[in-house]
Amino acid sequence: MKVYVSFWLPEAPLNVLREKHTVVVNASDQLPSPDELVTQLADADALLCVGSKVDKTIIDRLNPRLRIIANWGVGYNNIDADYAAQKGIMVTNTPDVLTETTADFSWAILMAAARRVAEADKYVRDGKFKGFKPFTMLGADVWGKTIGIVGFGRIGQAVGRRALGFGMKVLYHDQKPIDRKKEQELRASFVDLDTLLRESDFVSLHVPLMEETKHLINARALSLMKPTAFLVNAARGPVVDEQALLEALKSKKIAGAALDVFEKEPEVTPGLLELPNVVLAPHIGSGSWETRTNMGHVAVKNIIAALDGKTPPNLVNRPVARKP
Ligand code: NAP
């Protein structure tokens, strides 16, 4: 059967797929346009979806043979999974394998914002470091402070576990509290979102992007945060109203931000680039060689199961009917 891979992936998972199927990989260094994607999928049985948007209009143009869209990523807001289900197409994601790596990176940008690492690096490169001075580029302490984690699922909890090493108080907000034993183990307290925003020194976002979480952090939410607090977003850009964030940063309503994702990726709201108290990264939360390779292996497992007529391990929708 034919599998189309919409962007280059490490060879190891692709070779596993090649043992059973014909694999066509987009050879360009750009994602395929919607028309190219539809053309490539005209005779395909599976799509290994690497960063492509697959909305209703594309799904309507897909060949009826296509059985599975295997997303390479845990967040699958780029795919209209419910509509795919109506058309009998399975959608899968790649949870778990990227949890720890993404939590590491959330901490990397949190620390970078608090301790002004990117600014400091530029300062030295620009030749401004002329010798130690006691008050050069002072930042904010991280240890012993309060972190508020919004979305306490796999990645949120991994971020919380790391906070214990910094002797921090951990608050979290989710749709519901996690089980008591886990809560005690992570020494985390469930609070409503407003309380979390008011009491945290660092607010770290780990919710999926859905209608309910779009602009969860808006002007009102930002106005509740402490003027000394930092916002960290390694979830999805539209969870934050980026214009409101820019205003909050410019008017010093909050102290700083660390962003791995953007509302209109790859665009960054004009103005953010000029602010020294924002750390910016190009959506690399899960970006280690090991993890990105493992995400490929998980996506490949999902495809092989689906093309063997089995239920893939990471099915996220409920297709109305199985394709023969
Ligand atoms: P997860 O285990 O599903 O955790 C998400 C948590 O958010 C769940 O506990 C979920 O609750 C909760 N939630 C959903 N809606 C909420 C709301 N309105 N308010 C509060 N909490 C809400 O997912 P994960 O594996 O931790 O991944 C989280 C997100 O991180 C992904 O969806 C993806 O967008 C993002 N991500 C980004 C990168 C990157 O490169 N920057 C890498 C990996 C992941 P329920 O389970 O009850 O729905």
Side-chain angles (χ1 to χ4, degrees), residues 37-239:
L37 188 61
V38 171
T39 305
Q40 286 295 342
L41 292 173
D43 58 350
D45 302 277
L47 166 63
L48 202 168
C49 183
V50 189
S52 291
K53 187 173 174 179
V54 188
D55 58 15
K56 271 193 179 104
T57 55
I58 291 189
I59 292 171
D60 278 336
R61 295 170 65 200
L62 293 177
N63 93 69
R65 229 170 73 189
L66 194 94
R67 277 196 211 179
I68 176 170
I69 301 171
N71 195 46
W72 182 79
V74 66
Y76 55 91
N77 51 284
N78 51 319
I79 300 166
D80 192 332
D82 291 339
Y83 193 62
Q86 286 176 36
K87 301 281 177 183
I89 301 168
M90 294 181 255
V91 176
T92 58
N93 68 347
T94 61
D96 302 314
V97 283
L98 44 63
T99 297
E100 302 300 331
T101 301
T102 308
D104 281 351
F105 192 73
S106 303
W107 270 94
I109 56 176
L110 183 157
M111 299 287 285
R115 297 300 305 273
R116 305 175 64 178
V117 175
E119 266 184 277
D121 179 274
K122 185 166 186 318
Y123 183 85
V124 176
R125 287 175 199 275
D126 289 350
K128 292 183 181 160
F129 181 44
K130 304 289 184 207
F132 173 79
K133 284 190 194 147
F135 296 100
T136 301
M137 227 163 258
L138 300 191
D141 270 336
V142 172
W143 70 273
K145 295 272 185 76
T146 297
I147 185 167
I149 300 170
V150 183
F152 210 49
R154 290 171 291 244
I155 298 170
Q157 289 180 32
V159 167
R161 208 178 322 115
R162 284 158 175 73
L164 299 179
F166 288 90
M168 295 174 90
K169 179 176 172 181
V170 179
L171 303 178
Y172 76 94
H173 175 70
D174 202 291
Q175 316 223 74
K176 53 183 182 325
I178 59 169
D179 78 65
R180 194 97 188 94
K181 198 162 160 268
K182 197 77 189 258
E183 212 175 50
Q184 281 168 352
E185 189 187 303
L186 294 170
R187 280 180 266 146
S189 307
F190 179 76
V191 290
D192 61 66
L193 183 58
D194 285 5
T195 304
L196 181 145
L197 293 166
R198 279 196 192 96
E199 294 186 6
S200 300
D201 300 298
F202 299 92
V203 173
S204 195
L205 307 176
H206 302 286
V207 287
L209 175 60
M210 303 175 298
E211 227 17 70
E212 302 85 325
T213 55
K214 184 168 184 228
H215 285 189
L216 186 68
I217 304 301
N218 53 20
R220 180 190 164 276
L222 290 160
S223 74
L224 298 177
M225 288 175 64
K226 298 180 188 181
T228 49
F230 292 81
L231 179 73
V232 181
N233 188 8
R236 284 289 181 266
V239 174

Side-chain angles (χ1 to χ4, degrees), residues 9-29:
L9 281 185
E11 284 299 303
L14 294 181
N15 285 338
V16 175
L17 201 50
R18 285 184 185 114
E19 283 171 20
K20 294 194 80 162
H21 300 288
T22 305
V23 179
V24 177
V25 182
N26 168 23
S28 155
D29 63 355

